[in-house]
Amino acid sequence: MRRSADRILVTHVGSLPRPQELLELLLAREAGREYDAQRLDELQARGVSQIVRRQLELGIDVVNDGELGKTSFLSYVNTRLGGLEPRASTGGPPWATSREAQAFPDYYAWAAQANPSGAATAMHLAATAPVTYTGAEALAADIRHLQAAITEHGAGEAFMPSISPTNVEDWQTNDYYDSDEEFLFAIADAMHEEYAAIIDSGLLLQVDDPGLVTAYTLRPDWSLADLRAWAKIRVEALNQALRGLPTDRIRFHTCYSINQGPRLHELELSDIVDLVLQINAGAYSFEAANPRHEHEWRVWKEVDLPQDKLLIPGFITNSSVMIEHPDTVADRIVRYAEIVGRERVLAGADCGFASFAATVEFMPEIVWAKLQALAEGARRASERLWG
């Protein structure tokens, strides 16, 4: 991964708005309905080219394909893992029993009716046989389209997100393995194939793992010790999935989920940062711009960040439609640079901007304005840090 050698490099988390016709074909494919595969490929190629060009125009240095080949950062695995069969979802939405819903019951009851999450309609599966990786063809198409756009528009570096075993385990159901832990490590072995293929293609791998920190909010009966014991095993599983892969080609992203509503009881970064740093990655992406976590830059004063590791804090947030002022972005960047060194900081975002693509979370014009503010803030921070 490139370091910020002579200026602050700019990147983001991954998910960007999908064109409507492309989205409809992706949803049909995921649901097993009839769709025009050739048309899907054409739209994806065109869309990725356009979105890579747009990122570069806005000043993004390390780009991606906007996850245009996926219906979401998570449910896309439905078409890439074997040994799973559809299962009707049991129980209500997970946020309905979360710490936040207990603290703000009226809001969460209203929100569930007024703006249901895309996760509520996406299909869940259950393991009924050994879990295997079957997504080579779809992954190859994603890689092919991104590489073509990189060549066409001259992008210097690009990354491709892939979901963590922890989130797959939580999304799907185990009806085959003797224990949930055995299920988890089987998923890790399957996802290793996707991780390795991304790196072998020359792209950077970004592992998306919001579940690692969101689990505490979703399980109000857990103590901090419960969460840490659970998380330790999930870190071990992810490292198994990353075995043998070069850490300097791997980014790890975690966050607290997107636009769920009021957030009061989220896990503190200081309570899990030591476990996060045990993940075999070269860079760590996390929330740092929203009002609940902006203060956590201070955590890095107390953490001994290894010299070969980079940070990608979020300097713009998905928790508000307000467009960050570039000077605010610059101030946030400088704080981190003064602690860990300017060359080890990349400017990122708290989360993606369309995590479940069937749900409109941000109008595209807001996404582009926020990314432009991020790039301009990085430019102003670079002037302050390099002169």
Side-chain angles (χ1 to χ4, degrees):
M1 282 174 284
R2 295 164 61 195
R3 291 185 167 221
S4 295
D6 54 7
R7 62 184 175 85
I8 296 296
L9 297 178
V10 183
T11 186
H12 60 104
V13 169
S15 184
L16 297 171
R18 282 87 162 165
Q20 185 59 37
E21 185 180 357
L22 172 62
L23 174 58
E24 291 172 358
L25 291 173
L26 290 170
L27 291 169
R29 181 180 67 180
E30 185 171 296
R33 300 193 305 268
E34 185 176 343
Y35 70 98
D36 187 334
Q38 181 176 346
R39 180 61 175 166
L40 173 58
D41 192 70
E42 292 171 353
L43 290 174
Q44 187 179 348
R46 182 191 309 165
V48 172
S49 173
Q50 292 172 344
I51 214 153
V52 166
R53 185 185 70 237
R54 189 64 185 272
Q55 289 171 74
L56 294 172
E57 289 172 347
L58 290 170
I60 308 299
D61 298 291
V62 187
V63 303
N64 83 328
D65 64 351
E67 298 191 87
L68 296 195
K70 303 171 182 175
T71 55
S72 83
F73 79 101
L74 174 53
S75 63
Y76 82 93
V77 297
N78 285 359
T79 61
R80 297 195 186 183
L81 293 177
L84 303 170
E85 295 182 359
R87 283 288 187 275
S89 180
T90 58
W95 283 90
T97 55
S98 69
R99 296 174 193 267
E100 309 301 4
Q102 291 181 2
F104 304 100
D106 292 343
Y107 177 89
Y108 279 90
W110 166 80
Q113 296 296 322
N115 186 30
S117 167
T121 57
M123 184 182 298
H124 295 255
L125 307 177
T128 58
V131 175
T132 59
Y133 189 73
T134 60
E137 184 177 350
L139 176 60
D142 286 351
I143 292 171
R144 182 178 70 253
H145 294 313
L146 180 52
Q147 288 177 328
I150 292 169
T151 300
E152 179 183 3
H153 301 295
E157 193 169 53
F159 70 98
M160 181 163 287
S162 180
I163 195 62
S164 77
T166 298
N167 287 260
V168 179
E169 174 205 17
D170 182 64
W171 181 253
Q172 317 294 25
T173 303
N174 173 30
D175 286 350
Y176 176 79
Y177 292 94
D178 292 337
S179 69
D180 289 342
E181 188 171 321
E182 185 181 354
F183 179 44
L184 170 68
F185 280 84
I187 295 168
D189 286 339
M191 293 305 296
H192 172 79
E193 296 189 35
E194 179 159 297
Y195 300 165
I198 291 171
I199 289 178
D200 288 346
S201 74
L203 300 172
L204 301 180
L205 165 67
Q206 176 177 290
V207 179
D208 287 337
D209 196 359
L212 188 69
V213 295
T214 305
Y216 182 74
T217 305
L218 295 177
R219 294 168 172 85
D221 57 320
W222 279 9
S223 66
L224 178 58
D226 293 331
L227 180 279
R228 285 183 56 85
W230 173 90
K232 183 177 180 180
I233 295 171
R234 272 71 201 167
V235 169
E236 291 173 1
L238 176 53
N239 281 339
Q240 176 169 308
L242 294 171
R243 64 189 182 279
L245 302 179
T247 57
D248 62 356
R249 305 287 299 169
I250 300 168
R251 301 164 30 148
F252 173 80
H253 169 72
T254 191
C255 62
Y256 299 85
S257 295
I258 185 167
N259 294 336
Q260 296 295 339
R263 294 155 59 171
L264 178 62
H265 298 286
E266 290 178 337
L267 190 68
E268 298 284 343
L269 177 61
S270 59
D271 290 329
I272 199 169
V273 66
D274 60 320
L275 295 180
V276 169
L277 290 177
Q278 291 177 23
I279 294 166
N280 294 331
Y284 302 95
S285 164
F286 51 91
E287 294 194 21
N290 69 67
R292 193 71 200 167
H293 296 280
E294 185 174 4
H295 70 287
E296 291 180 329
W297 59 271
R298 296 179 178 88
V299 170
W300 299 99
K301 288 185 173 183
E302 310 300 326
V303 171
D304 184 16
L305 182 69
Q307 285 299 314
D308 61 341
K309 307 297 184 182
L310 310 179
L311 296 184
I312 313 177
F315 296 126
I316 56 172
T317 187
N318 54 281
S319 66
S320 170
V321 296
M322 291 289 289
I323 310 303
E324 290 81 356
H325 194 284
D327 284 338
T328 299
V329 173
D331 288 345
R332 292 168 174 169
I333 293 171
V334 169
R335 286 183 197 138
Y336 278 87
E338 289 177 344
I339 296 171
V340 303
R342 61 192 183 183
E343 75 284 354
R344 294 203 286 165
V345 177
L346 277 71
D350 277 355
C351 192
F353 290 100
S355 59
F356 278 84
T359 302
V360 177
E361 296 164 351
F362 282 88
M363 299 303 292
E365 60 192 5
I366 298 174
V367 176
W368 310 135
K370 280 181 168 284
L371 290 175
Q372 187 170 27
L374 177 65
E376 175 60 19
R379 187 190 67 78
R380 296 185 187 189
S382 296
E383 289 182 347
R384 291 163 59 178
L385 293 167
W386 275 271

